[in-house]
Amino acid sequence: MNPDSRHAGSGVFISLEGGEGSGKSTLMGHLRKFLESEGYEVCETREPGGPPIAERIREILLDPECRAMDARTELFLYLASRRQNVVEEIRPTLKQGGAVLCDRFLDASVAYQGGGRQLGFELVDRLNGVAVEDTFPDLTLLLDLDPGLGLARGPGVSDENREKGDRIEREGSGFHRRVRQAYLDAAQRSPERFVLLDATEPEEKVAEAALAALRNLLARKP
Ligand code: TMP
């Protein structure tokens, strides 16, 4: 492992994080284009989800019918999905020198289950470590946005029209405010990995800042 790398592979691992409607998918497209122009094979994946087993876990997690789900059950399911993604998609790509672009990764559990569900970041960090072992992102781009603005960009998931969202989107504004704060706290705890992006900026400006961080990462690679 080179001294700068946070995983055993020779590839690059970038995670995108942020609340609902923060523009992760749009940014993903810009990052993919850039990485391909640099000659990388790009594996685009998401959490919960990715490989078929993890996509099935995703269905349970986001199903509004699963109202009775306990907070720790929820955490274990996100971790189970993550584990499967690490083993089936993320590690093999990194080992082959490819680039992984992951729409949410371990920090989402810190923010949503640690912060939103109030399980605390210590418990979530510990269990995340069990799930991913040595596979940490090299760079985490956090799209920060007031949750009120983000939810309004979604499929009608405002406070008045919440029944259209998935199980997590339906949570109240207090939940989403805690998620935002927990993301910001996580960024403060790991400044060497996080880059904070202002998601209220125009798309091109956000992409420019993200690409600058990515260029910087690639320049540091041996
Ligand atoms: P999305 O991929 O469509 O954004 O949906 C995933 C939802 O799951 C989103 O509301 C964030 C939530 N989530 C968690 O609560 N914990 C996690 O660890 C992850 C990866 C996602």
Side-chain angles (χ1 to χ4, degrees):
M1 197 191 300
N2 80 66
D4 234 20
S5 185
R6 302 179 54 85
H7 51 75
S10 61
V12 280
F13 181 10
I14 297 122
S15 60
L16 275 76
E17 299 282 1
E20 315 301 323
S22 56
K24 287 183 281 89
S25 320
T26 314
L27 181 57
M28 192 87 126
H30 290 280
L31 297 174
R32 170 189 268 278
K33 224 167 109 196
F34 172 74
L35 284 163
E36 284 174 346
S37 75
E38 291 285 303
Y40 281 93
E41 283 285 331
V42 178
C43 163
E44 216 173 284
T45 185
R46 66 172 178 180
E47 293 207 354
I53 294 171
E55 287 291 330
R56 283 171 72 177
I57 298 172
R58 178 185 174 94
E59 283 169 26
I60 302 172
L61 275 165
L62 300 186
D63 184 351
E65 297 287 304
C66 294
R67 248 175 256 112
M69 194 181 296
D70 168 76
R72 288 185 183 213
T73 305
E74 180 179 286
L75 173 60
F76 291 139
L77 288 174
Y78 278 111
L79 293 165
S81 164
R82 180 158 309 132
R83 174 72 190 171
Q84 196 61 31
N85 200 6
V86 162
V87 170
E88 271 201 75
E89 291 189 359
I90 298 175
R91 268 189 203 152
T93 303
L94 295 175
K95 208 168 155 205
Q96 287 162 21
V100 175
L101 282 176
C102 198
D103 184 344
R104 300 189 189 281
F105 192 59
L106 79 181
D107 302 294
S109 294
V110 173
Y112 283 81
Q113 283 65 55
R117 300 278 186 233
Q118 300 180 290
L119 292 178
F121 75 88
E122 294 92 347
L123 173 75
V124 179
D125 275 354
R126 198 148 31 93
L127 295 174
N128 262 331
V130 175
V132 309
E133 296 176 278
D134 63 352
T135 308
F136 286 86
D138 297 297
L139 173 67
T140 298
L141 299 166
L142 172 56
L143 285 149
D144 179 54
L145 184 65
D146 180 292
L149 292 175
L151 289 167
R153 288 177 179 180
V157 197
S158 59
D159 266 349
E160 313 79 64
N161 205 5
R162 181 159 296 133
E163 72 281 2
K164 290 193 184 143
D166 65 36
R167 202 176 57 83
I168 304 286
E169 288 168 334
R170 288 175 187 216
E171 288 297 331
S173 50
F175 175 91
H176 291 287
R177 275 201 303 274
R178 289 196 297 279
V179 168
R180 182 194 197 186
Q181 191 54 52
Y183 265 135
L184 293 172
D185 294 344
Q188 277 212 330
R189 284 196 302 278
S190 306
E192 73 294 344
R193 172 165 68 85
F194 271 89
V195 169
L196 190 61
L197 301 168
D198 179 354
T200 61
E201 295 274 15
E203 179 191 326
E204 291 306 325
K205 244 185 132 183
V206 175
E208 214 175 278
L211 290 176
L214 185 48
R215 278 196 199 92
N216 186 22
L217 170 70
L218 298 187
R220 283 189 276 120
K221 273 184 71 67

